[in-house]
Amino acid sequence: MKRLTRSSSDRWLAGVCAGIAEYFDLDPTLVRLGWVLFCCLGGSGLLAYIICAIVMPTA
């Protein structure tokens, strides 16, 4: 059973992007770039990242 968790090994800030990349079997760099675009274009990406960092458990 797969669980969405924050990464404890491949983390820059809180490990949210690396955890999402592990869950979907993607490259963490692509997820990080997507998150940066989401922050720049929508503006709500920073709030979403903070919420994910609080809600997602650590692996």
Side-chain angles (χ1 to χ4, degrees):
M1 184 169 115
K2 288 173 71 170
R3 294 188 60 201
L4 182 61
T5 59
R6 292 185 291 142
S7 176
S8 59
S9 60
D10 185 21
R11 59 188 312 165
W12 282 10
L13 294 177
V16 173
C17 292
I20 291 171
E22 288 174 4
Y23 184 78
F24 290 110
D25 293 325
L26 297 171
D27 184 27
T29 305
L30 293 176
V31 176
R32 289 179 181 119
L33 287 174
W35 206 280
V36 168
L37 287 174
F38 183 59
C39 287
C40 292
L41 296 177
S44 61
L46 184 61
L47 179 63
Y49 190 90
I50 293 170
I51 291 171
C52 286
I54 293 170
V55 172
M56 289 173 58
T58 303

